[in-house]
Amino acid sequence: MPASEKRKVLFVGDDQFLCDWYLKNLNENGYQAEGATLKEMEMALSEFPADLVLMDLPHEADSHHFIAQVLRIRPATPVVLSVEPERFHFASKAIRSGAAEILPKIVEPHLMLIILHRVLEEDRLLRENKELRDSIKLYGACQRITTQLKREGVRGATLDALLIKAVPHAAFYLDCPSLDAGLQPEGLVGLNEVEAKMFLEELIPSIELRFNLTEAYRIAFDEHDGTFSRLREHGYVEALFIPLRDHERLWVLFILLRQNQDPPWTAKVVEEVNFIKQHAALAWHHVTLYENAKELAMLDDLTGLYNVRYLHQAIGRELIHYQKTGTPFAVLFLDIDYLKRVNDLHGHQVGSQLLIEVARMIRRCVRDNDVVVRYGGDEFNIVLKATPLSVAERVADRIRTTIARHSFLSREGLNVQITVCIGVASCPIHAQSEEELIFLSDRAMYRGKNSTRNLVITANPEDLTGLKVATP
């Protein structure tokens, strides 16, 4: 077969043995194959008109980065990844990133040829049928949306799909708990933040009038209507709005802006945009279920408070907030005094009921956005958000006195009196790491336990001297 008629395959990878093996088998079986290292990939893609790219990546490599690099230079070229069998869990991420197929490494030559032939034939058929290709691309984009496990992933994948399908001149989206919450344009494409806010001011009245719509809708900027004067001054003639919502609330509103020279938004385009929207709404629902399931995994079965796994996340978030804004916060460590006496006298079931009541008392003493955690046994943590040390000490003392004055298990006819010790550690005064804040508040609490009990003790940073703190 003349070289000009052979299907061209570019092998990309740093494993020279594997490269030689693939090139030998491909060239001996009717393909024209060449090899390149990962560093040489961009140049090789520019110089060699590959019909297919076969890629071998090291364990630590980001498949999304390399696949995107190929598709940027040769958008219509199928990418096949060569993967060890023990890394097949990595396949779903690669497929979501745009890979056409996964090839086990090292594969039997006959099977490798069958797989590559099938990928190339599918690509040829798609090239011959543009409508089918467009439909498959649409389904592929929707598949990428529905496989997201985070809200930001759904937003980003949906915006990407809308940009490909509607080809607007500019776009952004709004997170929409309500229109009164000071909306901030996000995901800006083709315009800057100042422009987005300026255009949003003109669009808000129209959005409010159509707030309950569930399908995508268009608004033309009539040149005789001064409502959209700034949008028209910047060359925009129409907006397409895509609401992502359920029956009760609007979650996200995508806004696309078109200029005269941009492709028109035909009825077919709007229909396909709505198809994308339906998959995005389904993905959002799945993310909500997933987050609810994750939250359940972060809850203590007995008290309904968060468990220690959530504590680390909560402190981590506050540390990030402190680093960005300088806002202080505090961590309290609480332990019930002499709970063993209650268990020994009344039994562990009564002791468990006491823990439930203590959890309720703590929850009532703090704000709704503060985080209350059952650390384990009779120990609790409270993360007081945006709280300086002096206020944290007062909150801790309020918890202590409230519990000391309360008669527990009164419904059971027992009227048990208990006290607690609470350690207080503050960021940034005492520490600026999750492990140290937990350690210092715990150590302060134990100083109270070793004294008269029924105390609030503030952390002493000197407790950290010479100690290597590990995450509990």
Side-chain angles (χ1 to χ4, degrees):
M1 181 186 296
S4 60
E5 296 180 13
K6 291 181 178 181
R7 310 300 289 275
K8 296 175 179 63
V9 176
L10 176 66
F11 175 86
V12 178
D14 294 335
D15 186 328
Q16 189 60 49
F17 170 80
L18 200 62
C19 178
D20 293 342
W21 186 89
Y22 276 119
L23 295 187
K24 176 180 181 295
N25 281 282
L26 290 167
N27 285 321
E28 288 179 355
N29 286 276
Y31 290 93
Q32 182 184 344
E34 293 190 8
T37 65
L38 291 170
K39 287 184 178 179
E40 298 167 343
M41 183 176 71
E42 286 201 26
M43 182 178 294
L45 286 167
S46 301
E47 296 177 352
F48 182 63
D51 298 304
L52 181 146
V53 175
L54 178 56
M55 188 181 295
D56 175 62
L57 297 177
H59 284 270
E60 68 278 5
D62 179 6
S63 62
H64 178 80
H65 168 75
F66 286 100
I67 293 170
Q69 207 172 359
V70 173
L71 297 178
R72 176 173 55 80
I73 299 169
R74 302 192 67 83
T77 304
V79 179
V80 175
L81 288 189
S82 176
V83 177
E84 298 94 340
E86 62 268 22
R87 294 186 68 215
F88 258 55
H89 63 278
F90 154 90
S92 60
K93 179 183 177 183
I95 296 294
R96 288 200 300 271
S97 299
E101 185 58 270
I102 304 296
L103 197 65
K105 183 171 70 175
I106 291 177
V107 64
E108 194 274 324
H110 183 63
L111 177 59
M112 179 263 290
L113 293 170
I114 290 174
I115 292 173
L116 295 188
H117 177 74
R118 177 176 57 78
V119 172
L120 285 165
E121 282 300 292
E122 286 178 356
D123 185 62
R124 180 182 64 80
L125 291 170
L126 288 174
R127 289 173 187 273
E128 292 175 357
N129 191 329
K130 185 178 184 302
E131 185 175 347
L132 176 60
R133 185 168 75 249
D134 289 346
S135 295
I136 290 179
K137 283 184 178 178
L138 179 60
Y139 276 96
C142 290
Q143 183 182 36
R144 284 190 285 277
I145 294 170
T146 54
T147 54
Q148 301 301 319
L149 295 178
K150 294 184 177 180
R151 296 185 192 278
E152 56 265 32
V154 175
R155 296 186 194 99
T158 303
L159 183 59
D160 288 345
L162 293 172
L163 292 174
I164 292 170
K165 183 50 57 182
V167 198
H169 191 85
F172 59 92
Y173 64 78
L174 307 170
D175 280 320
C176 295
S178 76
L179 291 178
D180 302 322
L183 296 175
Q184 177 69 29
E186 305 282 354
L188 307 183
V189 176
L191 70 175
N192 60 42
E193 187 175 348
V194 173
E195 291 171 330
K197 288 183 176 180
M198 178 175 65
F199 297 155
L200 182 59
E201 285 182 13
E202 291 191 335
L203 294 170
I204 282 291
S206 300
I207 295 171
E208 289 175 336
L209 288 173
R210 300 163 178 82
F211 190 75
N212 294 320
L213 293 182
T214 58
E215 299 295 303
Y217 58 91
R218 296 158 51 191
I219 295 179
F221 305 145
D222 189 339
E223 60 184 336
H224 303 297
D225 183 351
T227 306
F228 306 109
S229 57
R230 284 177 290 187
L231 281 156
R232 289 202 62 86
E233 285 172 9
H234 285 76
Y236 295 103
V237 296
E238 189 177 16
L240 178 59
F241 300 84
I242 303 96
L244 199 59
R245 64 176 307 137
D246 61 10
H247 296 299
E248 296 179 357
R249 57 171 295 192
L250 179 65
W251 302 317
V252 184
L253 181 65
F254 295 92
I255 301 174
L256 313 183
L257 299 174
R258 188 177 73 81
Q259 295 189 346
N260 259 329
Q261 68 270 23
D262 300 320
W265 290 327
T266 63
K268 181 173 174 55
V269 169
V270 175
E271 179 184 348
E272 291 175 336
V273 161
N274 277 316
F275 186 75
I276 293 170
K277 176 194 70 68
Q278 290 166 6
H279 283 78
L282 179 64
W284 196 273
H285 177 65
H286 288 166
V287 167
T288 302
L289 293 178
Y290 178 70
E291 290 181 348
N292 289 343
K294 279 204 330 186
E295 183 165 333
L296 286 174
M298 297 286 185
L299 296 181
D300 174 58
D301 290 339
L302 178 66
T303 62
L305 298 176
Y306 289 112
N307 60 29
V308 69
R309 287 192 294 273
Y310 189 81
L311 174 66
H312 303 306
Q313 291 188 17
I315 296 177
R317 282 197 299 268
E318 293 311 304
L319 283 168
I320 292 171
H321 186 58
Y322 162 72
Q323 290 160 6
K324 289 181 177 178
T325 66
T327 304
F329 69 97
V331 176
L332 312 187
F333 210 121
L334 179 152
D335 182 275
I336 300 173
D337 298 328
Y338 304 116
L339 179 65
K340 186 175 184 301
R341 293 180 182 176
V342 177
N343 289 333
D344 292 344
L345 186 61
H346 301 291
H348 284 84
Q349 285 188 329
V350 170
S352 294
Q353 185 58 40
L354 177 65
L355 289 171
I356 294 171
E357 285 196 42
V358 169
R360 289 174 185 161
M361 297 295 296
I362 297 172
R363 186 71 267 177
R364 290 171 189 163
C365 289
V366 298
R367 299 163 298 185
D368 289 343
N369 66 330
D370 293 324
V371 177
V372 183
V373 171
R374 185 186 177 201
Y375 192 79
D378 58 349
E379 295 177 327
F380 298 83
N381 302 97
I382 303 98
V383 180
L384 299 174
K385 300 182 179 184
T387 303
L389 176 60
S390 59
V391 176
E393 289 170 332
R394 291 200 297 272
V395 172
D397 200 59
R398 180 167 70 237
I399 295 170
R400 180 192 66 81
T401 56
T402 300
I403 289 174
R405 293 170 182 168
H406 184 72
S407 292
F408 289 87
L409 304 171
S410 57
R411 291 183 179 178
E412 289 79 3
L414 297 177
N415 294 314
V416 174
Q417 302 292 136
I418 62 167
T419 57
V420 297
C421 282
I422 305 175
V424 182
S426 176
C427 174
I429 292 176
H430 299 122
Q432 296 179 34
S433 80
E434 170 198 328
E435 296 85 357
E436 292 178 351
L437 287 166
I438 294 173
F439 176 83
L440 287 174
S441 58
D442 181 41
R443 182 60 65 91
M445 178 269 290
Y446 269 103
R447 283 208 299 275
K449 303 270 303 172
N450 293 329
S451 180
T452 61
R453 307 207 179 204
N454 190 25
L455 293 171
V456 170
I457 304 290
T458 300
N460 182 357
E462 292 182 4
D463 288 340
L464 293 172
T465 305
L467 290 178
K468 184 177 180 181
V469 181
T471 304

